[in-house]
Amino acid sequence: MTTITICKTADGKYTGFTCFGHAGYAKKNRPDILCSAISILVINTINSLEALAGEQLKTVTNEETGFIKCDFENDLQDKSILLMDAMVFGLENLSKNYGEQYLQVKFEEV
């Protein structure tokens, strides 16, 4: 299962997110479309935040365990908030459509 924790301040500002695990949706030795979809949403958001919005991020990854930690160095710009909202929207829809046994999206106040 993949668990994604979205971190926000008490006033709702994004501070970063953490992903851990592989979805495990596909049968053994088969391509996992859910894991691929999660990866695309998360990695594209990170790349877009950096390249298109100019945000300063601190990221740590481990492909083997499916670990990605992304912390925002500063408060996000409006366009970056929209990118994060879009990622969360996509992930929540994947979780609803494929099931929480494969993908859980959580929120944590920091």
Side-chain angles (χ1 to χ4, degrees), residues 22-69:
H22 294 285
Y25 179 76
K27 293 180 182 176
K28 190 172 182 163
N29 297 322
R30 306 291 279 165
D32 193 326
I33 61 169
L34 181 56
C35 211
S36 295
I38 294 166
S39 295
I40 289 166
L41 281 170
V42 170
I43 293 168
N44 186 66
T45 300
I46 291 170
N47 291 340
S48 296
L49 287 167
E50 288 181 318
L52 301 177
E55 297 291 352
Q56 299 295 314
L57 312 175
K58 181 179 178 184
T59 57
V60 178
T61 64
N62 182 322
E63 190 174 323
E64 188 175 308
T65 61
F67 178 78
I68 300 173
K69 181 167 177 56

Side-chain angles (χ1 to χ4, degrees), residues 1-97:
M1 174 180 50
T2 300
T3 301
I4 300 179
T5 304
I6 310 296
C7 300
K8 289 183 162 188
T9 61
D11 60 349
K13 293 180 182 177
Y14 290 110
T15 62
F17 59 90
T18 303
C19 306
F20 185 75
H22 294 285
Y25 179 76
K27 293 180 182 176
K28 190 172 182 163
N29 297 322
R30 306 291 279 165
D32 193 326
I33 61 169
L34 181 56
C35 211
S36 295
I38 294 166
S39 295
I40 289 166
L41 281 170
V42 170
I43 293 168
N44 186 66
T45 300
I46 291 170
N47 291 340
S48 296
L49 287 167
E50 288 181 318
L52 301 177
E55 297 291 352
Q56 299 295 314
L57 312 175
K58 181 179 178 184
T59 57
V60 178
T61 64
N62 182 322
E63 190 174 323
E64 188 175 308
T65 61
F67 178 78
I68 300 173
K69 181 167 177 56
C70 180
D71 292 314
F72 307 142
E73 304 264 324
N74 304 300
D75 287 347
L76 295 181
Q77 305 166 68
D78 287 344
K79 60 185 170 183
S80 301
I81 294 168
L82 180 61
L83 289 170
M84 282 297 299
D85 288 344
M87 181 187 81
V88 170
F89 179 76
L91 292 169
E92 288 180 327
N93 278 307
L94 286 173
S95 181
K96 287 177 190 168
N97 289 323

